[in-house]
Amino acid sequence: QSTGVWKTRKISSLLTRSVSPVSVESEEIYREIGIRSHGKGIFHKEPLLGKELGDKRVFHVEENAFVLNIVFAWEQAVAVTSAAERGMIASHRFPIYKPNECEADVDFIKYFFLTNKGKELLGIASPGGAGRNKTLGQKEFEKLEFLCPRKVEEQTAIARCLSSTDDLITIAFAKAQEEGNKV
């Protein structure tokens, strides 16, 4: 049950872009992250040597950060990083946003962008034609506004509730598939 105050907040008041460039060493091994569309999360690309990155600009991935794929943001390619991504890198196509202290829960923000309203806002911030031309504008993204609980504790409680529901659905789905295979 919600007792807190909800108010319209700008992304820029909730999240701050984290820009931590990597100076690539040609003989070091790096692992890049990618993000699947439709909220299906982060995946890890195959390890590669620094020299294989060429002159691509890459950045350190931070833990517990909101990250999106600017090319497919309109398809809800959004995620939250975890300890599993520690030490990994991301290209400039995957901007990383840290929550502003006492203002935002990154999981709550991820769940918001997985709603129809969130998808609509990502579309608004991704002008252009169809498919690959619909690139998210970071300035436009940071200006987006949506209604959210003022208290970060309430955001966290909602995100935890949604997360445990997600887990239950995943377990039920896996179980149904398993039983379907037995028939």
Side-chain angles (χ1 to χ4, degrees):
Q1 68 184 33
S2 170
T3 53
V5 177
W6 286 56
K7 59 188 252 192
T8 300
R9 306 282 297 277
K10 229 184 209 137
I11 285 293
S12 59
S13 72
L14 300 168
L15 301 173
T16 301
R17 175 90 196 272
S18 162
V19 183
S20 179
V22 175
S23 41
V24 176
E25 300 287 331
S26 64
E27 296 305 315
E28 281 279 317
I29 292 177
Y30 296 93
R31 281 200 88 170
E32 279 189 277
I33 63 162
I35 301 173
R36 294 183 188 89
S37 294
H38 315 296
K40 299 219 186 312
I42 293 174
F43 64 93
H44 303 160
K45 298 182 182 177
E46 287 300 309
L48 75 166
L49 285 170
K51 61 183 167 201
E52 296 175 90
L53 285 167
D55 52 9
K56 182 153 78 168
R57 291 193 345 261
V58 291
F59 302 88
H60 293 282
V61 173
E62 290 209 45
E63 204 176 320
N64 191 39
F66 179 78
V67 60
L68 24 71
N69 176 341
I70 62 172
V71 181
F72 292 106
W74 60 278
E75 256 188 9
Q76 294 171 302
V78 299
V80 171
T81 59
S82 70
E85 285 74 49
R86 200 178 285 145
M88 293 196 178
I89 60 170
S91 81
H92 69 281
R93 288 196 346 215
F94 303 95
I96 293 165
Y97 289 89
K98 291 292 282 179
N100 292 342
E101 211 172 321
C102 307
E103 295 293 335
D105 179 290
V106 285
D107 288 309
F108 177 84
I109 291 172
K110 176 191 77 175
Y111 282 116
F112 168 73
F113 282 114
L114 294 178
T115 66
N116 287 336
K117 181 66 183 168
K119 183 176 185 177
E120 185 189 320
L121 290 181
L122 289 168
I124 289 167
S126 305
R132 289 201 169 267
N133 301 330
K134 286 173 68 79
T135 301
L136 180 89
Q138 282 164 46
K139 292 276 175 277
E140 287 77 9
F141 171 70
E142 290 167 19
K143 284 184 202 154
L144 292 177
E145 294 183 330
F146 69 100
L147 203 58
C148 83
R150 195 177 59 74
K151 287 193 170 154
V152 71
E153 296 79 12
E154 190 168 353
Q155 294 175 33
T156 302
I158 292 167
R160 282 206 182 116
C161 177
L162 291 169
S163 176
S164 59
T165 303
D166 262 3
D167 293 345
L168 290 173
I169 291 167
T170 304
I171 291 164
F173 186 73
K175 197 170 178 172
Q177 273 190 315
E178 209 174 274
E179 295 188 355
N181 292 339
K182 287 179 188 164
V183 175

